[in-house]
Amino acid sequence: MQRREFLGVAAGAAGALALAGCESPPPPIEGGFTGIDVARGHAMRDGALKSSQPATVKRTRVVIAGGGVAGLGAARALRLAGIDDFTLLELEDAAGGNARGGSVNGIACPLGAHYLPVPGDDAREVQDLLEELGLRRRVAGRWEYDEVTLCHSPQERLFFRGEWQDGLLPVHGVGEPTLAQYRQFAQRIDALQHAAHFAIPTLKVAVTPELLALDALTFAGWLDSEGFSDAQLRWYLDYCCRDDYGAGIAQVSAWAGIHYFASRHGFHAPGDPTGSVNDASPERDGILTWPEGNGWLTKQLARPLGERLRTGQVVTRIAEVRGGVEVDAWDAATKSLVRWQAERCIVALPVFIAARVVENPPEVLKTAAAHVRYAPWLVANVHLRGPLADRAGAAPSWDNVIYGTRGLGYVDARHQSLDPTPRGTVLSWYRPLGPSGYDTADGRKLLLERPWTGWRDELLAELSVPHPDLPSLATRIDITRYGHAMSIPRPGLLAQIGPQRTAPDGAHRGSVVAGRLSFAHADWSGYSIFEEAFTRGHVAGTGVAGVAA
Ligand SMILES: Cc1cc2nc3c(=O)[nH]c(=O)nc-3n(C[C@H](O)[C@H](O)[C@H](O)COP(=O)(O)OP(=O)(O)OC[C@H]3O[C@@H](n4cnc5c(N)ncnc54)[C@H](O)[C@@H]3O)c2cc1C
């Protein structure tokens, strides 16, 4: 245990004792692993579910394999195009993939993805979805987003040098050289935004030589070459990369590091007259969030599917056969193999799984699987039986980050509540495990081998520094592990699997197609966010509907 962690635990214990006074000590914190069925996925990997003889053979027009955001987006596109005869097969007992919601002691919380930035005009498909869900509407000629869903103020704060400050960019007590680098970085991003189109979703733009040049370098290497050496600026940029990509600035490409800012609201230094990263305005920096995170969105997408959504179905084989496709799925309830015969299949699986289950995988899939590397992640949901005391500084926010820690801080599931009464809540602590300055060990091995109590102790050590009373208020910690959470946009990945792999025109425009298989998953964008996954699913569904019509 490092000194800071030890001090954190000690501070937590001291706080707990002080709070408890003469009362009896709080009951021990319960908890364990939840969310993902690791054994089911590994049984598929080890071939334990393979069988040549299906117990049942069924027919459907289109099979969608995988019920994450991409698979659900594809299902919606088929429905909207009038194709109702399709079946979506999902391994887990609920759809949603990395964007599922859950609850601890009755309080809703995210198990994975927790927010969606207000989409820009390149993400027209996501805008349409939000309009359909009643979250976006035109009022007096302007687009407005649902007030209840827009993240309530205050949005973000940082525990830095012993107190909370507004926003995540370290500003308290930093010197002029740091502020000067913030301004220079803002100017550089502004210039790059004018020089190239950093689109979300990426499939909307061609990969230009400017983008490929950035894709060839690490972000850290690019920062070095540009003279961005300031420790606070680099901490912040590293934090952003770990937050969006699960790995640090030394691992992700300069394209990815710059895309983070240039594709959205840019980078705004403190004192910038157009605003700053520390003063979020709904128009520019607005984000949509729900107590159960993006689980709210995936639930809405799954709702109209009815019986067409089949959960507990582990796809073990996808094969093109004469005149169609065969998809074998192991049914977890009946413990038997079902063979689906269809005209086409939308493969909305992570590419490393797709490469395993697709028979004679096409070159495009082999290339993607050979180049994608995944960041493992962990999300811990902590139930608190009462409100936390707070340290000096900025008020409790939706996103609360502690400077210099391995975890990314926590979001408060009650932040969106309209009831101001202080009471118990659930905090979701996010811990990326891809390579970074904080982690050199094999994160996936650690995820498999470390007992839940090890994560409990790491969480308590980090969060007790700003909240010494947290250990005495925590009643339960539920931990969700993601061995292959998201593709790390490493140097060269854009060149290998970028938009040039997508069909440029015709019915399949924008989707990755090989024969009767259409591929849709955030992995095909090289990095993982809702907009990428959803649009990939949408174009795959639209393409299939176009040729099936
Ligand atoms: C911890 C965490 C936090 C995140 N936070 C955010 C956030 O706040 N905002 C954001 O925009 N994005 C976030 N993301 C990114 C998130 O991954 C994407 O937004 C999106 O959910 C990806 O969807 P997908 O469909 O591409 O992939 P997945 O979610 O990987 O979906 C693939 C689906 O296929 C299923 N599957 C796998 N194997 C099989 C099989 N053999 N048979 C049948 N089904 C199978 C899986 O169970 C899963 O449901 C986060 C990701 C993680 C892990």
Side-chain angles (χ1 to χ4, degrees), residues 36 40-41 44 64-72 88-92 94-100 111-117 243-244 264 294 298 310 312-317 328-329 348-350 352-354 357 375-379 398 430-431 480 482 484-486 520-524 527-534 536:
I36 293 271
R40 209 176 275 175
M44 189 226 29
I64 302 170
V69 169
L72 292 167
L88 192 161
L89 304 172
E90 164 55 39
L91 175 147
E92 300 287 345
N98 294 341
R100 279 190 295 153
L111 296 183
H114 53 302
Y115 71 98
L116 170 67
D243 192 33
D244 249 32
R264 291 191 171 132
N294 292 5
T298 53
R310 303 202 174 213
Q313 305 294 319
V314 188
V315 172
T316 57
R317 173 178 163 266
D328 290 351
L349 303 168
F352 80 103
I353 295 178
V357 301
W377 273 77
L378 176 142
V379 181
W398 170 69
Y430 285 84
R431 171 76 162 88
T480 307
Y482 297 92
H484 301 82
M486 52 178 70
H521 188 276
D523 282 0
W524 292 96
Y527 77 110
S528 189
I529 56 172
F530 183 91
E531 302 92 306
E532 297 289 352
F534 180 79
R536 295 241 165 223

Side-chain angles (χ1 to χ4, degrees), residues 306-529:
E307 302 248 301
R308 289 171 293 191
L309 167 62
R310 303 202 174 213
T311 56
Q313 305 294 319
V314 188
V315 172
T316 57
R317 173 178 163 266
I318 299 174
E320 279 205 62
V321 293
R322 193 190 298 217
V325 290
E326 275 181 5
V327 179
D328 290 351
W330 185 82
D331 182 334
T334 60
K335 304 211 179 328
S336 65
L337 196 75
V338 181
R339 175 158 296 164
W340 291 88
Q341 297 178 329
E343 289 171 20
R344 306 190 72 93
C345 177
I346 297 175
V347 187
L349 303 168
V351 297
F352 80 103
I353 295 178
R356 237 172 235 159
V357 301
V358 171
E359 225 168 68
N360 303 321
E363 217 42 55
V364 69
L365 176 57
K366 281 200 252 178
T367 306
H371 288 91
V372 170
R373 294 283 175 279
Y374 293 90
W377 273 77
L378 176 142
V379 181
N381 282 301
V382 191
H383 174 258
L384 304 178
R385 62 190 159 82
L388 288 167
D390 216 347
R391 299 255 188 167
S397 302
W398 170 69
D399 190 15
N400 306 264
V401 176
I402 300 135
Y403 182 87
T405 51
R406 289 192 173 114
L408 298 172
Y410 65 86
V411 294
D412 183 343
R414 283 201 75 241
H415 186 74
Q416 293 299 99
S417 167
L418 298 175
D419 171 7
T421 322
R423 58 169 64 139
T425 187
V426 171
L427 307 183
S428 304
W429 179 68
Y430 285 84
R431 171 76 162 88
L433 284 150
S436 73
Y438 296 90
D439 286 293
T440 45
D442 179 347
R444 201 160 298 123
K445 194 159 175 278
L446 196 63
L447 263 194
L448 265 182
E449 292 176 355
R450 205 183 213 192
W452 81 272
T453 47
W455 300 111
R456 174 200 63 193
D457 295 344
E458 185 176 324
L459 176 155
L460 291 178
E462 283 195 0
L463 301 191
S464 293
V465 176
H467 300 296
D469 55 341
L470 187 137
S472 66
L473 293 169
T475 69
R476 182 169 185 89
I477 302 181
D478 280 347
I479 293 169
T480 307
R481 294 174 290 176
Y482 297 92
H484 301 82
M486 52 178 70
S487 162
I488 302 171
R490 297 178 310 140
L493 189 62
L494 190 65
Q496 291 296 338
I497 64 152
Q500 77 280 11
R501 301 273 172 222
T502 61
D505 44 33
H508 292 296
R509 190 166 183 270
S511 61
V512 181
V513 188
R516 291 177 175 271
L517 309 183
S518 299
F519 295 92
H521 188 276
D523 282 0
W524 292 96
S525 300
Y527 77 110
S528 189
I529 56 172

Side-chain angles (χ1 to χ4, degrees), residues 134-395:
L135 301 176
R136 171 183 146 102
R137 54 194 156 262
R138 210 163 175 90
V139 179
R142 285 189 50 180
W143 286 107
E144 282 189 359
Y145 284 84
D146 177 43
E147 280 295 321
V148 176
T149 312
L150 271 175
C151 185
H152 300 174
S153 193
Q155 192 168 305
E156 298 166 327
R157 64 176 179 167
L158 175 69
F159 193 71
F160 181 57
R161 296 183 174 163
E163 62 180 27
W164 290 106
Q165 56 140 78
D166 285 321
L168 300 187
L169 189 65
V171 288
H172 274 197
V174 302
E176 180 48 36
T178 298
L179 296 173
Q181 287 230 330
Y182 290 168
R183 288 192 294 273
Q184 285 156 19
F185 187 75
Q187 284 163 9
R188 197 70 187 89
I189 292 292
D190 190 51
L192 285 160
Q193 275 179 311
H194 285 95
H197 189 169
F198 293 83
I200 294 180
T202 53
L203 59 80
K204 292 292 173 75
V205 289
V207 181
T208 58
E210 288 86 359
L211 299 182
L212 281 178
L214 294 171
D215 176 57
L217 307 168
T218 65
F219 191 28
W222 181 84
L223 290 169
D224 291 342
S225 68
E226 295 273 328
F228 291 115
S229 55
D230 183 76
Q232 308 309 348
L233 175 67
R234 288 176 82 110
W235 172 83
Y236 175 72
L237 301 178
D238 191 59
Y239 175 88
C240 295
C241 290
R242 292 196 306 131
D243 192 33
D244 249 32
Y245 308 133
I249 52 173
Q251 276 71 36
V252 308
S253 69
W255 168 79
I258 292 162
H259 179 82
Y260 180 94
F261 299 101
S263 62
R264 291 191 171 132
H265 40 71
F267 178 98
H268 300 269
D272 176 342
T274 61
S276 83
V277 278
N278 289 5
D279 94 55
S281 68
E283 292 77 26
R284 203 190 53 219
D285 294 334
I287 62 170
L288 305 168
T289 188
W290 303 262
E292 68 273 50
N294 292 5
W296 187 87
L297 286 169
T298 53
K299 241 191 194 144
Q300 309 309 311
L301 285 166
R303 185 162 291 148
L305 301 185
E307 302 248 301
R308 289 171 293 191
L309 167 62
R310 303 202 174 213
T311 56
Q313 305 294 319
V314 188
V315 172
T316 57
R317 173 178 163 266
I318 299 174
E320 279 205 62
V321 293
R322 193 190 298 217
V325 290
E326 275 181 5
V327 179
D328 290 351
W330 185 82
D331 182 334
T334 60
K335 304 211 179 328
S336 65
L337 196 75
V338 181
R339 175 158 296 164
W340 291 88
Q341 297 178 329
E343 289 171 20
R344 306 190 72 93
C345 177
I346 297 175
V347 187
L349 303 168
V351 297
F352 80 103
I353 295 178
R356 237 172 235 159
V357 301
V358 171
E359 225 168 68
N360 303 321
E363 217 42 55
V364 69
L365 176 57
K366 281 200 252 178
T367 306
H371 288 91
V372 170
R373 294 283 175 279
Y374 293 90
W377 273 77
L378 176 142
V379 181
N381 282 301
V382 191
H383 174 258
L384 304 178
R385 62 190 159 82
L388 288 167
D390 216 347
R391 299 255 188 167

